[in-house]
Amino acid sequence: PLVVGPMGVGQVADAAFTLMRRNYRYLVAVAAWGLVASALISLIAQIAFGKAFALLASGQLRPSPTMFRGDGDFAETLATMLPDPLYWPLALLAGLVGIWAHGALLVACGLIIDPAGDTLTTAEAYRTALGRVFALILQTLFLLLVALVVAAGLALSIVLVPLFALALLLLPGAVYVAVRLSVTMPALFIERRGPISALARSWRLTHGAWWHTLGVGAGTLLVMMGGSMLAGALGAIAGVAAVVASDPA
């Protein structure tokens, strides 16, 4: 098993890559179950209820370089491409399945790291994570309720404090709280704590390690953004090529 102790940001990244390298097939299999299912649900939603996909497939909507220029009716084009209402429940389901896959990966990684843990099969990892997804939903609803209460208080205070000054005061606090609660999901899925207990656990774990947690989170975010930007760039190149190829001029 991978020995885990106090680490610097670089050591955390090295440990993550080591974990992935040693258990590549198993972790890819765990991730693939949920992520492929989520992608399929999204594709079905797009094909069945996404108007843009249907219009493109039927030839009624042809991409062109002038499609979104100022001389075109952008609002009319956008309204034509908006999906049917039934698209949104499927999109929500795809998102929940993706979260489920993330939880199953956390469960699998937690047991790999734990010297006394037994490796679960892919199905067992998903069964273990399923109940935690509902706990995550309850936690999200609780946080939304707290956010609504805070927003109501802010709405009342705007009459006393200028909005810009209020934003400057609140932004550091929001970043601080986000970092302190950033390890809530491992507490939910690995330690199997309840929604409120997981928030308290994350708060305790990050006590005295705020900058360290911020550094690890920022490094992870940069890696994810780099991958997303690369995928987006490749998609944009493919999209431009499709537009150029379909333009009769």
Side-chain angles (χ1 to χ4, degrees), residues 6-246:
M7 298 179 180
V9 176
Q11 291 172 313
V12 170
D14 181 66
F17 283 115
T18 300
L19 182 71
M20 184 65 184
R21 187 176 65 251
R22 292 182 182 177
N23 304 274
Y24 178 78
R25 292 185 180 179
Y26 172 62
L27 293 179
V28 167
V30 172
W33 272 40
L35 296 181
V36 170
S38 177
L40 286 176
I41 294 171
S42 297
L43 181 61
I44 291 171
Q46 195 63 249
I47 292 175
F49 305 110
K51 290 182 180 179
F53 187 93
L55 291 171
L56 286 169
S58 64
Q60 299 178 48
L61 179 66
R62 293 180 60 84
S64 68
T66 61
M67 190 174 182
F68 296 111
R69 289 181 184 170
D71 54 352
D73 191 345
F74 177 77
E76 182 179 347
T77 303
L78 185 62
T80 304
M81 298 174 65
L82 287 176
D84 291 329
L86 289 176
Y87 168 84
W88 302 111
L90 285 176
L92 176 61
L93 177 60
L96 288 174
V97 172
I99 293 172
W100 187 14
H102 186 187
L105 269 175
L106 284 173
V107 170
C109 289
L111 288 175
I112 290 172
I113 293 172
D114 184 2
D118 296 324
T119 302
L120 297 177
T121 65
T122 301
E124 289 170 341
Y126 275 88
R127 275 198 300 270
T128 302
L130 180 58
R132 303 288 84 210
V133 172
F134 294 113
L136 179 61
I137 293 172
L138 291 175
Q139 183 188 86
T140 302
L141 292 175
F142 171 75
L143 291 175
L144 285 175
L145 179 61
V146 172
L148 287 174
V149 173
V150 172
L154 292 178
L156 293 175
S157 65
I158 286 176
V159 296
L160 302 175
V161 182
L163 185 59
F164 178 72
L166 191 63
L168 288 179
L169 290 173
L170 290 176
L171 184 59
V175 173
Y176 176 81
V177 172
V179 173
R180 291 298 300 269
L181 299 179
S182 60
V183 292
T184 298
M185 284 192 69
L188 269 174
F189 286 94
I190 297 176
E191 298 185 355
R192 304 182 190 182
R193 293 176 177 265
I196 308 302
S197 176
L199 292 171
R201 175 64 169 161
S202 177
W203 196 268
R204 287 194 301 271
L205 286 172
T206 54
H207 176 69
W210 191 88
W211 287 106
H212 180 270
T213 307
L214 176 65
V216 173
T220 303
L221 183 61
L222 287 174
V223 172
M224 294 174 63
M225 287 177 60
S228 297
M229 290 174 63
L230 178 60
L234 293 175
I237 292 172
V240 170
V243 169
V244 172
S246 62

